[in-house]
Amino acid sequence: LPCCYDEAVRRKGEKKTKSQPPARRSRLAGWVALAIAIALGAAGWLVLVACGRGSAPGLAGSRPNVLLISIDTLRADHLGAYGAKAPTPVLDRLAAEGVLFEKAVSHVPITLPSHASLLTGRYPILHGVRDNGAFRLAETQTTIAESLKATGYQTGAFVGSFALDSRFGLDQGFDLYDDFYGDTSEFNDFAISERPAAAVLERAALWIEGRSATGWLAFVHLYDPHAPYLPPASFTGDPRSDPYTREVLYVDDALGRFLDRLRSAGKLEQTLIVVTGDHGEGLGEHGEKTHGMFAYDSTLHVPLILSWGGRLPQGRRISSRARLIDLAPTLAELAGTDPGGYQGESLLPLLGKPEPAEDRESYFEAVAFNLNRNWAPLTGFYRRKLKYIELPLAELYDLEADPGETRNLAEIHPGTLRQMGEALARYVNQHSTEQSRAIETTEVDEETIARLKTLGYVVAADRTSKRPERYTPDDDPKRLVALSDMLDEGVAAHLAGRPQEAIRIFREILKRRPNFTNVHVNLAYVLRESGRLEEAIAVLEQAMTAGLTTRTLLGRLGLYLQEAGRLQESAVLLESAIKQDPSHAEAYNYLAVTYARLGRTANAVSMLEKLLTLDSSYASAYSNRGSVYLGAREYVRAAENFRRALEIDPRLASAWNGLGVVQATEGRKAEAISSWKRSIELDPRQYDTLYNLGTLLTQLNRFEEAIGYLDRFVQTAPVDRYGADIPKVKRLLAELRARV
Ligand SMILES: [Zn+2]
């Protein structure tokens, strides 16, 4: 037999008999194992489990609690245990007490698809989630939480950012999916809602403390090292380190407090701790600042540490390749559940092997920029020491001789390059179905175009798609890095309050590369933020008629048309968006508002109900439902919905406005004023709130205060939406000024 009983575990006095055949194995595996066990006798059985079934002795079916910690954007080489100059004491200690995988790899340098792989044990080409935001993990997929829950585990998830919001489907199998990261009030193209590690860990600790002794899975997602690198002001780690490193050190520090708390509560004794990352960060290597564009080891090499006091070998470093898809089957085997359905393989056999095992092959991809920029899609795989990257300008690296991937061997070894390309094609075929690997693009259908035309909507005659049919070296991301940098500059300019500069940069990018889809979306966003709504609409319409439709673009166009009062067109586009993608959460919300403004109240409520089945923690859906009930004078139900919205997101300005209306209607004027003031504080563009505050204060004879709010209303409310109200308020203002 090729492997043997783990000496380290035996020396620690583990009982050999712990490798009982787990009760919940699949029938076939159980039969085979049992037959061979009878043939070999008890001693043979142990070895066989370790080798054939892939189990380190004593671990399969031992059902530990599992604390699965994913630190977003964490490069392996920024941990002391992986050779970083700055020590990360907490993570380094976990590694010293447990097992460290030196060559753990991610399959995609993007948060949502990578976590989908982590939780399902499958590659993106099979689970189907290829990018953030625009995908939802299908119900037909099975997460490790579902598998463990089916065997009696209690399951909780605590996520650090909107990227893993429950609406994207990773909540499958979790009793509690805590995605209350705060501000969901407004979409923002250039920043993502997140909460710091300490806040996520506080929620996780409370949940774990409430569990009985054994049988729980806690999945904890810490987002801090993701850009922008802004550790909490209270963190006083080494000020000499760069901002990214400081974020890593902050997470290490927060984790230390969390683990100490659990340890002193006795919650870690039966607990396997797994620490990993979803992907790394470019930090300028290969011209990539963040992640998502390329697939070098700067963004695919992640840490992987397993620690379980006394049960795993201590301080063991495993040099053969481990993959994120291997984690779910590892946990399933530990829990003694059916190991079926995973593309990964349990890591337990590697724990039982002191000698290096053969490196596992591993697929990877980076296709987000294909989806939203029309750049060439990147795929590739690791095979033994080689790494192959398929692009118009293909790449081949010998990772042993050149771990930094600085010498592309593609031209030196064309034969190997060709073989790797063929092997990749076979590998992809074996690990996906035609349907699962297809990347669907959004095209506006003919029926929608026809309906828009009847509304007088101008659809360009030339609808030939500007998407490349074949990708050339000019579509290779390596040649497009400069445009990525320009995009970053544009975003930075907007965030720094220089929208004109952002607009100029975005237009310049589109001149050079007109099919850069999400720059159209970004340009429209900045135009709209600058009050140039019609120009924003024009930008999106041009992109749509040029065949550059993504679901984001379609949803935004529907929203902006609604904001411009073009409600019929807005409805047609949003209906089309939902038809094409029934999991498009924003589209339901936008369409509900469009319907409500068209007076189609029942349709509006129905959209919100559908949205809340997709995502029961969608704060603004509750707020909008509250507004619909308010319109129907159902104050109790309205108030319930506003309160629910504010429980989820206390910063949701529209919900504060609605709650204020209910309070004012019920005669609780002081409470109404306080709710409305909160609304305005959170979002100065709540024009309804300005109007409400001004009129109520007028009724209360508090004229000077009223003048302040009404004046702001007149100055800032958009004419296309408030054209009828503005003259009335101006007359009222004149009267009030005459009185004070
Ligand atoms: Zn991420």
Side-chain angles (χ1 to χ4, degrees):
L1 289 170
C3 64
C4 61
Y5 187 64
D6 180 5
E7 289 300 323
V9 175
R10 203 208 299 260
R11 274 203 306 276
K12 291 184 74 67
E14 292 286 322
K15 283 188 199 148
K16 292 177 198 171
T17 49
K18 279 215 175 136
S19 286
Q20 301 277 338
R24 290 183 184 81
R25 285 245 169 85
S26 75
R27 177 165 296 176
L28 184 64
W31 274 104
V32 174
L34 188 63
I36 301 171
I38 290 166
L40 295 180
W45 167 240
L46 270 178
V47 177
L48 185 82
V49 171
C51 307
R53 286 284 316 132
S55 174
L59 296 180
S62 54
R63 296 178 63 76
N65 301 319
V66 178
L67 176 54
L68 172 58
I69 300 166
S70 158
I71 304 173
D72 212 287
T73 321
L74 181 58
R75 280 175 69 124
D77 64 5
H78 274 58
L79 269 55
Y82 284 85
K85 272 192 227 117
T88 40
V90 174
L91 294 170
D92 299 348
R93 181 179 158 191
L94 280 178
E97 292 171 353
V99 178
L100 177 149
F101 289 86
E102 290 175 340
K103 286 193 313 202
V105 288
S106 165
H107 314 293
V108 47
I110 306 272
T111 305
L112 180 68
S114 184
H115 282 95
S117 287
L118 179 72
L119 294 177
T120 62
R122 292 175 160 206
Y123 289 127
I125 42 176
L126 189 61
H127 63 58
V129 179
R130 316 297 283 274
D131 190 8
N132 287 340
F135 290 83
R136 178 184 170 91
L137 185 69
E139 293 296 329
T140 48
Q141 301 292 322
T142 305
T143 67
I144 186 62
E146 288 176 290
S147 307
L148 264 54
K149 186 180 162 73
T151 75
Y153 272 66
Q154 298 179 59
T155 51
F158 307 87
V159 307
S161 93
F162 173 75
L164 297 190
D165 191 277
S166 63
R167 77 186 62 170
F168 305 123
L170 297 193
D171 59 338
Q172 292 175 45
F174 287 105
D175 302 325
L176 169 66
Y177 194 85
D178 183 330
D179 56 355
F180 310 123
Y181 36 74
D183 191 358
T184 59
S185 53
E186 240 189 307
F187 72 82
N188 183 336
D189 271 22
F190 306 136
I192 195 160
S193 296
E194 63 173 297
R195 58 179 166 177
V200 180
L201 292 168
E202 171 65 24
R203 301 281 301 176
L206 286 172
W207 184 82
I208 292 169
E209 283 162 1
R211 295 315 98 199
S212 53
T214 53
W216 50 262
L217 161 71
F219 164 54
V220 176
H221 167 240
L222 305 175
Y223 196 67
D224 303 76
H226 194 284
Y229 313 130
L230 300 167
S234 58
F235 177 63
T236 55
D238 188 350
R240 287 164 305 172
S241 46
D242 63 277
Y244 171 78
T245 303
R246 276 173 61 76
E247 288 274 38
V248 174
L249 297 178
Y250 161 66
V251 170
D252 189 74
D253 184 69
L255 266 177
R257 293 163 206 271
F258 169 73
L259 293 175
D260 285 348
R261 173 174 169 180
L262 294 182
R263 203 173 282 120
S264 41
K267 291 292 180 187
L268 294 185
E269 280 148 28
Q270 306 292 325
T271 301
L272 167 72
I273 303 171
V274 180
V275 178
T276 188
D278 59 343
H279 53 76
E281 186 78 322
L283 300 178
E285 288 177 27
H286 308 276
E288 184 176 39
K289 292 194 184 80
T290 57
H291 54 270
M293 176 161 52
F294 294 135
Y296 298 108
D297 278 10
S298 45
T299 65
L300 289 187
H301 182 207
V302 291
L304 177 58
I305 295 166
L306 272 57
S307 174
W308 182 9
R311 299 297 299 272
L312 294 181
Q314 292 199 15
R316 161 93 44 99
R317 298 176 74 92
I318 292 172
S319 60
S320 69
R321 185 174 299 117
R323 309 165 296 183
L324 285 191
I325 55 167
D326 294 333
L327 266 175
T330 306
L331 300 180
E333 189 175 15
L334 286 168
T337 74
D338 188 330
Y342 302 109
Q343 290 186 308
E345 296 165 66
S346 172
L347 294 168
L348 296 187
L350 300 183
L351 306 185
K353 274 188 188 181
E355 76 275 20
E358 183 165 289
D359 276 345
R360 295 176 179 187
E361 293 183 340
S362 190
Y363 168 82
F364 57 84
E365 66 175 32
V367 298
F369 286 8
N370 176 245
L371 289 164
N372 56 38
R373 301 185 173 189
N374 286 306
W375 296 8
L378 182 159
T379 55
F381 82 144
Y382 293 93
R383 171 176 255 192
R384 298 194 188 93
K385 64 177 185 173
L386 293 181
K387 180 171 174 182
Y388 170 70
I389 299 173
E390 188 153 286
L391 275 174
L393 303 165
E395 294 166 67
L396 180 67
Y397 298 101
D398 176 342
L399 294 175
E400 266 173 28
D402 177 26
E405 297 160 284
T406 57
R407 290 187 300 278
N408 182 3
L409 305 175
E411 285 180 17
I412 306 168
H413 297 295
T416 312
L417 186 79
R418 199 184 57 249
Q419 281 168 13
M420 289 293 278
E422 289 162 4
L424 173 65
R426 277 196 303 277
Y427 193 83
V428 166
N429 278 327
Q430 286 161 3
H431 289 82
S432 60
T433 66
E434 203 174 326
Q435 198 191 1
S436 73
R437 65 180 168 261
I439 303 177
E440 305 243 337
T441 52
T442 317
E443 292 286 341
V444 178
D445 57 298
E446 288 304 324
E447 189 203 325
T448 301
I449 300 286
R451 288 179 64 198
L452 286 171
K453 274 185 183 160
T454 64
L455 295 167
Y457 194 101
V458 183
V459 180
D462 176 22
R463 288 189 54 249
T464 43
S465 172
K466 284 189 187 161
R467 292 176 192 284
E469 281 180 13
R470 282 187 64 245
Y471 294 96
T472 69
D474 284 339
D475 301 314
D476 190 302
K478 291 189 284 297
R479 290 201 178 165
L480 295 166
V481 173
L483 292 185
S484 252
D485 292 343
M486 278 178 77
L487 177 55
D488 291 345
E489 282 165 34
V491 170
H494 177 72
L495 291 176
R498 301 192 304 272
Q500 296 310 320
E501 189 185 331
I503 290 167
R504 184 186 56 72
I505 293 172
F506 292 153
R507 290 205 191 277
E508 178 60 30
I509 297 174
L510 290 176
K511 216 181 280 172
R512 297 195 202 175
R513 193 149 172 107
N515 66 0
F516 199 144
T517 312
N518 65 343
V519 172
H520 293 274
V521 177
N522 296 151
L523 173 60
Y525 174 77
V526 176
L527 286 167
R528 178 240 191 205
E529 290 286 288
S530 314
R532 295 157 67 177
L533 188 57
E534 288 300 333
E535 283 174 80
I537 290 171
V539 166
L540 295 184
E541 283 174 345
Q542 279 162 19
M544 185 186 83
T545 53
L548 296 176
T549 325
T550 58
R551 55 174 249 156
T552 306
L553 191 147
L554 208 52
R556 290 297 167 78
L557 184 52
L559 171 68
Y560 297 172
L561 286 167
Q562 173 207 99
E563 290 178 341
R566 293 163 64 181
L567 300 175
Q568 302 285 356
E569 292 152 298
S570 164
V572 171
L573 279 174
L574 293 169
E575 284 161 7
S576 166
I578 289 172
K579 197 167 77 181
Q580 288 172 45
D581 181 359
S583 71
H584 190 167
E586 276 73 27
Y588 288 96
N589 201 29
Y590 300 158
L591 185 55
V593 176
T594 298
Y595 282 154
R597 289 183 59 188
L598 282 165
R600 296 167 60 181
T601 309
N603 294 118
V605 172
S606 146
M607 283 304 114
L608 294 170
E609 305 290 333
K610 283 183 185 155
L611 172 52
L612 288 168
T613 45
L614 270 181
D615 181 355
S616 62
S617 61
Y618 200 124
S620 130
Y622 289 104
S623 180
N624 285 336
R625 198 164 65 175
S627 298
V628 172
Y629 287 133
L630 204 55
R633 298 176 189 277
E634 293 188 43
Y635 298 118
V636 175
R637 290 168 92 181
E640 273 167 21
N641 278 278
F642 291 130
R643 290 222 164 79
R644 180 79 188 106
L646 291 170
E647 263 168 42
I648 298 167
D649 180 6
R651 300 181 51 81
L652 191 62
S654 62
W656 282 112
N657 177 57
L659 188 63
V661 174
V662 175
Q663 289 160 337
T665 315
E666 292 174 347
R668 289 150 42 208
K669 292 176 184 168
E671 287 173 51
I673 288 171
S674 135
S675 296
W676 285 336
K677 284 188 173 169
R678 184 102 181 87
S679 168
I680 291 294
E681 242 170 63
L682 290 166
D683 180 6
R685 289 179 300 186
Q686 290 293 318
Y687 310 111
D688 290 347
T689 314
L690 289 171
Y691 181 91
N692 291 337
L693 260 174
T695 48
L696 181 58
L697 289 165
T698 304
Q699 282 172 25
L700 295 172
N701 296 328
R702 290 159 66 175
F703 299 142
E704 290 200 21
E705 287 171 81
I707 288 171
Y709 292 110
L710 293 174
D711 201 45
R712 274 172 69 185
F713 176 82
V714 168
Q715 302 296 330
T716 57
V719 179
D720 39 19
R721 219 176 124 192
Y722 294 92
D725 303 301
I726 291 170
K728 280 189 249 167
V729 174
K730 278 186 175 165
R731 282 196 296 275
L732 176 60
L733 266 173
E735 278 177 43
L736 292 176
R737 288 202 166 106
R739 287 200 194 184
V740 295

